[in-house]
Amino acid sequence: MGLLETHMDSNNQGFLKSIISCLSVLLRAQDYDCWSYSSTLRYVDAITSFTIHSKPKIRKAAQHAIIAIIHGSCFMLPKKDPENPDEEAVIPPKVKFHPIGGRVVKFCLNLFKSETLANSQTTVLHALELLKDTI
């Protein structure tokens, strides 16, 4: 988090994209129970705040990270059947919805307030893109 905060306004987009990507990989590997911790949610909130960044490469990296977390977390993916390891039989995931889905939607809905709509239509378009990919 310290690196993310330190380089938030730097011109080194590659470094910031790498930090976001590393956080995404780390968060995708978390068990379902870890998503109730405030520290885990703080990391997600940090990445989510970059989804409306003014620099397109950083914004795209953050949006990709959030989508990868929601759709690609270890507990969201189907698993191979341990009884038939040679076959392509899979066990569907027990969890149907990621715990941060609602959090991302709330973030986007906060951007649809009248003061944001009047000042920055571009931000609203970025939020709509994130919503589309989340759903």
Side-chain angles (χ1 to χ4, degrees), residues 122-134:
T122 308
T123 302
V124 173
L125 288 175
H126 298 319
L128 286 171
E129 182 180 356
L130 179 63
L131 275 176
K132 175 189 69 111
D133 291 341
T134 300

Side-chain angles (χ1 to χ4, degrees), residues 8-56:
M8 184 174 11
D9 296 323
S10 75
N11 290 331
N12 192 349
Q13 292 182 29
F15 187 68
L16 194 54
K17 284 174 35 180
S18 296
I19 294 171
I20 292 170
S21 175
C22 288
L23 277 174
S24 170
V25 171
L26 175 74
L27 290 170
R28 281 185 295 191
Q30 299 299 309
D31 291 331
Y32 183 79
D33 296 334
C34 292
W35 288 99
S36 62
Y37 302 152
S38 63
S39 59
T40 306
L41 297 176
R42 201 168 51 236
Y43 288 116
V44 171
D45 290 342
I47 295 173
T48 306
S49 68
F50 282 102
T51 60
I52 57 170
H53 198 274
S54 61
K55 295 182 180 175

Side-chain angles (χ1 to χ4, degrees), residues 79-117:
K79 298 185 178 16
K80 289 204 175 221
D81 189 0
E83 296 175 6
N84 300 320
D86 296 334
E87 295 181 25
E88 293 186 20
V90 293
I91 301 170
K94 294 178 184 176
V95 179
K96 300 291 182 192
F97 303 102
H98 200 285
I100 67 161
R103 196 171 189 92
V104 172
V105 169
K106 284 181 186 177
F107 173 81
C108 292
L109 289 177
N110 282 335
L111 297 174
F112 298 151
K113 292 183 178 174
S114 59
E115 58 272 5
T116 307
L117 290 171

